Amino acid sequence: DAGITQSPRHKVTETGTPVTLRCHQTENHRYMYWYRQDPGHGLRLIHYSYGVKDTDKGEVSDGYSVSRSKTEDFLLTLESATSSQTSVYFCAISEGGLRDQPQHFGDGTRLSIL
Amino acid sequence: TQLLEQSPQFLSIQEGENLTVYCNSSSVFSSLQWYRQEPGEGPVLLVTVVTGGEVKKLKRLTFQFGDARKDSSLHITAAQPGDTGLYLCAGTFNTGNQFYFGTGTSLTVIP
């Protein structure tokens, strides 16, 4: 299994609070991704990074920000969490870009916003 | 915007039966991947297809990419309870640089 660790694995918080999810990799892969998975929508890309301090928006980026200060860490922040952001969040990594490189996923963070 | 349609959404079969699940789009795929996801875990890559008409086999799983690169199928022969899971297709398109997942087919194989 690819060395990907997501933390925390579960979190319950209240509307309006800030939340930060962490993804840590030990594979030295250049690309890192954040997805959310919801019933009826599958996995949707939030943001991705193609190098240290290099990030770009995905399909559903509104309400989320990311940072990558080191190759191994990719942080996802909800500045002011809303109930619509209740979801399961997955981090993924790949050696190359999106088009033809396999992505390796972490085990997810289940986030509940009350 | 859901660019990838998967069917069926749910499938429950007896052990030993064969099955096929489908992934379709109105746009041409640049490349397509199939993943399998078990409860509480992230998706795991099964295969990548890039050439129209391509067929790949992985033990009892056969993956086919349509000639026009707008569709793909996954066929499982003699399904086993260990095949139970959510099967996801994912891909990129010739236009744009986004990576999209389908909503998945949830497969249950009954012993």
Side-chain angles (χ1 to χ4, degrees):
Chain A
D1 289 344
I4 307 169
T5 304
Q6 290 187 232
S7 58
R9 292 296 314 277
H10 302 272
K11 187 173 182 66
V12 180
T13 191
E14 296 183 345
T15 300
T17 60
V19 177
T20 295
L21 308 183
R22 180 179 183 241
C23 178
H24 179 78
Q25 61 145 330
T26 59
E27 305 298 317
N28 201 37
H29 282 359
R30 178 182 176 189
Y31 286 78
M32 299 185 74
Y33 314 85
W34 277 107
Y35 290 88
R36 59 178 290 175
Q37 185 173 30
D38 305 287
H41 290 279
L43 282 144
R44 291 180 290 176
L45 182 64
I46 304 172
H47 282 279
Y48 67 99
S49 169
Y50 48 96
V52 174
K53 297 186 179 179
D54 292 323
T55 65
D56 204 352
K57 296 179 179 180
E59 183 185 0
V60 290
S61 60
D62 288 349
Y64 302 94
S65 63
V66 290
S67 66
R68 190 163 179 207
S69 59
K70 298 184 291 185
T71 298
E72 57 266 34
D73 289 325
F74 193 31
L75 304 181
L76 177 70
T77 297
L78 292 65
E79 299 289 349
S80 179
T82 67
S83 59
S84 65
Q85 293 176 310
T86 291
S87 186
V88 181
Y89 290 85
F90 286 97
C91 172
I93 65 174
S94 67
E95 288 189 78
L98 291 168
R99 288 195 169 269
D100 55 4
Q101 293 293 316
Q103 295 185 42
H104 304 281
F105 286 80
D107 286 336
T109 294
R110 185 171 296 275
L111 178 63
S112 297
I113 313 294
L114 305 178
Chain B
T1 303
Q2 187 57 253
L3 301 180
L4 285 78
E5 298 288 337
Q6 289 191 245
S7 61
Q9 188 176 358
F10 298 96
L11 188 57
S12 182
I13 62 171
Q14 294 289 328
E15 181 176 0
E17 293 183 350
N18 301 332
L19 67 114
T20 302
V21 299
Y22 301 92
C23 176
N24 295 282
S25 175
S26 58
S27 301
V28 176
F29 290 107
S30 174
S31 66
L32 185 141
Q33 299 173 353
W34 282 94
Y35 290 81
R36 178 169 166 266
Q37 184 179 20
E38 297 192 34
E41 298 182 7
V44 176
L45 180 70
L46 297 174
V47 76
T48 300
V49 288
V50 295
T51 305
E54 186 174 3
V55 177
K56 285 191 174 181
K57 293 191 175 184
L58 184 64
K59 297 184 180 179
R60 293 176 294 101
L61 279 60
T62 300
F63 304 86
Q64 187 160 2
F65 200 18
D67 291 340
R69 292 189 289 137
K70 289 186 175 182
D71 59 273
S72 181
S73 63
L74 159 59
H75 181 79
I76 301 179
T77 303
Q80 299 177 0
D83 295 327
T84 293
L86 180 67
Y87 289 82
L88 297 158
C89 66
T92 56
F93 297 92
N94 284 343
T95 56
N97 194 34
Q98 291 279 356
F99 193 74
Y100 296 96
F101 277 82
T103 53
T105 292
S106 179
L107 172 65
T108 301
V109 181
I110 303 167

